[in-house]
């Protein structure tokens, strides 16, 4: 039997390879919440008076984030936002799990049903040129709706559950595609793009997917067990698999690569000209040319559905 490296009494159930520790269930939960606090404080993610909206999808990462945030900062004003994306056989199940979680944690939950809001669902994009890029179009729609919802409920900060593996994948993807402007946006804290918009924070930037999964498991948080039908063959998942294979025997290297990249961001920011934005003529959100990506996609879809 392996004994917990912290309490030295209980049986260890979680191995933390980069810290060379084996932890029992209770010590792992404390370790997770402390690590979250440390990350938030290191990057000054939350300031006094902030109202934080956590974007909860029903998956393990955002569920673990909401739960641990409540534990780490019991006095912090935290709300949850969930979007029902209208994905057949998936979205309603996600919503049920989020509702259970919010009830369990006594967190104010705001649900936005995309079909009711704009009369379309993410599935509808299968009929457009985005049919091979469903996650990309879904991401654009989600970002806009969450920003808007956070502003409507008075939150000045949006916390998302992007984990370390998501991050590594975004870095590689944008680096390979020479998307320097996108690379610069991969910061732990992204300031508001326009006045009045919320800032975005990514408190799970240093959490590998397995740690979030373990936290959900040991705290018995309800999470979605159904896979999104559009995730099959998604390029991001393929890149993630390759990276996981690459770092399989060297978990420390993930942290080193991430740390080096985060140090590089200020240099990149100085070298790259900031993209100028103007308000979208339809919704007032930031756009490059007067019509934002969200409104463009709605227009395209509505013209196809006609
Ligand atoms: Fe959206 Fe892709 Fe996630 Fe499905 S897997 S919910 S399409 S981002
Ligand atoms: Zn717009």
């Amino acid at each position: 039997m392996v004994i917990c490296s912290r309490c030295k009494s209980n049986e260890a159930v979680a191995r933390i390879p980069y810290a060379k520790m084996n932890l029992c269930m209770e010590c792992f939960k404390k370790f997770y919440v402390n690590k979250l606090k440390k990350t938030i404080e290191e990057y000054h993610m939350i300031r006094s008076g902030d109202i934080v909206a956590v974007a909860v999808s029903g998956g393990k990462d955002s569920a673990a984030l909401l739960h641990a945030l409540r534990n780490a900062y019991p006095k912090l004003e935290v709300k949850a936002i969930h979007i029902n994306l209208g994905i057949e056989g998936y979205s309603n199940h996600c919503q049920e799990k989020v509702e259970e979680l919010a009830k369990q944690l006594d967190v104010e939950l705001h649900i936005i049903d995309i079909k009711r809001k704009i009369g379309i669902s993410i599935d509808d994009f299968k009929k457009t040129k985005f049919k091979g890029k469903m996650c990309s179009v879904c991401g654009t729609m989600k970002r806009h709706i969450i920003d808007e919802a956070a502003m409507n409920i008075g939150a000045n900060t949006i916390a998302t559950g992007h984990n370390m593996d998501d991050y590594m994948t975004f870095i590689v993807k944008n680096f390979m595609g020479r998307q320097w402007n996108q690379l610069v946006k991969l910061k732990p804290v992204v300031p508001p793009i326009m006045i009045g918009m919320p800032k975005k924070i990514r408190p799970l930037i240093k959490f590998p997917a397995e740690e979030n999964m373990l936290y959900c498991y040991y705290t018995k948080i309800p999470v979605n067990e159904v896979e999104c039908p559009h995730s099959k063959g998604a390029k991001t998942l393929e890149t993630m698999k390759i990276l996981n294979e690459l770092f399989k025997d060297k978990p420390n290297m993930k942290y080193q690569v991430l740390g080096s990249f985060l140090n590089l961001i200020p240099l990149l920011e100085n070298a790259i000209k900031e993209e100028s934005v103007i308000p979208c003529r339809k919704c007032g959100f930031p756009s490059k040319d007067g019509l934002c990506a969200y409104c463009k996609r709605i227009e395209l879809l509505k013209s196809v559905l006609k």
Side-chain angles (χ1 to χ4, degrees), residues 144 279-287 290-296:
H144 183 107
C280 169
R281 61 177 175 271
K282 286 214 153 177
C283 67
F285 268 50
S287 76
L291 192 62
C292 72
Y294 170 81
C295 290
K296 275 183 190 159

Side-chain angles (χ1 to χ4, degrees), residues 85 87 90 122 134-135 138 142 228 230-231:
L85 299 162
I87 299 173
Y90 175 70
I122 293 300
M134 292 298 283
C135 292
C138 180
K142 283 192 290 199
C228 172
H230 304 304
S231 66

Side-chain angles (χ1 to χ4, degrees), residues 82-87 91-92 95 111-125 137-145 294 298 301-302:
H82 173 72
I83 311 174
N84 186 316
L85 299 162
I87 299 173
S91 291
N92 288 344
Q95 184 176 325
I111 295 175
I112 297 103
D113 188 308
I114 196 170
K115 269 191 188 158
R116 248 179 258 158
K117 181 179 164 60
I118 39 180
I120 57 165
S121 72
I122 293 300
D123 283 346
D124 290 331
F125 282 99
V137 74
C138 180
T140 304
M141 303 305 283
K142 283 192 290 199
R143 277 191 294 277
H144 183 107
I145 297 170
Y294 170 81
I298 294 179
L301 185 54
K302 288 198 169 162

Side-chain angles (χ1 to χ4, degrees), residues 2 12 17 47 52 62 71-72 78 107 113 132 144 153 182 188-189 210 234 244 303:
V2 180
R47 295 181 188 274
V52 181
S62 53
N71 272 334
V78 178
V107 170
D113 188 308
H144 183 107
I153 60 172
Q182 297 302 319
V189 180
E210 313 90 70
N244 281 341
S303 70

Side-chain angles (χ1 to χ4, degrees), residues 48-202:
S48 136
D50 277 351
I51 300 177
V52 181
V54 181
V56 277
S57 63
K60 61 179 185 348
D61 300 309
S62 53
L65 171 61
L66 183 63
H67 188 285
L69 201 58
R70 288 290 270 170
N71 272 334
Y73 302 98
K75 290 190 182 146
L76 178 72
E77 195 170 345
V78 178
K79 302 180 183 198
I81 299 176
H82 173 72
I83 311 174
N84 186 316
L85 299 162
I87 299 173
E88 189 81 36
Y90 175 70
S91 291
N92 288 344
H93 178 67
C94 292
Q95 184 176 325
E96 275 168 29
K97 295 292 168 185
V98 169
E99 282 170 337
E100 264 180 61
L101 175 69
K103 200 170 166 199
Q104 193 175 311
L105 299 177
D106 194 21
V107 170
E108 186 181 304
L109 170 64
H110 299 265
I111 295 175
I112 297 103
D113 188 308
I114 196 170
K115 269 191 188 158
R116 248 179 258 158
K117 181 179 164 60
I118 39 180
I120 57 165
S121 72
I122 293 300
D123 283 346
D124 290 331
F125 282 99
K126 278 196 287 193
K127 298 167 196 142
T128 70
K129 64 175 182 183
F130 290 108
K131 62 174 184 284
K133 292 181 176 177
M134 292 298 283
C135 292
S136 155
V137 74
C138 180
T140 304
M141 303 305 283
K142 283 192 290 199
R143 277 191 294 277
H144 183 107
I145 297 170
I146 286 171
D147 273 346
E148 197 180 44
M151 287 158 80
N152 287 342
I153 60 172
N156 68 335
T157 305
I158 296 175
T160 56
H162 294 112
N163 64 39
M164 192 181 188
D165 301 283
D166 297 327
Y167 244 80
M168 299 297 286
T169 311
F170 295 151
I171 294 171
V172 171
K173 215 179 114 212
N174 287 311
F175 190 75
M176 307 260 287
R178 300 182 184 193
Q179 302 281 331
W180 313 123
N181 283 315
Q182 297 302 319
L183 264 180
V184 170
K185 288 181 193 161
L186 295 175
K187 289 188 285 194
V189 180
V190 185
I193 308 177
M194 275 170 47
I195 296 168
M197 291 188 78
K199 71 172 188 277
K200 306 230 171 85
I201 60 171
R202 289 135 176 186

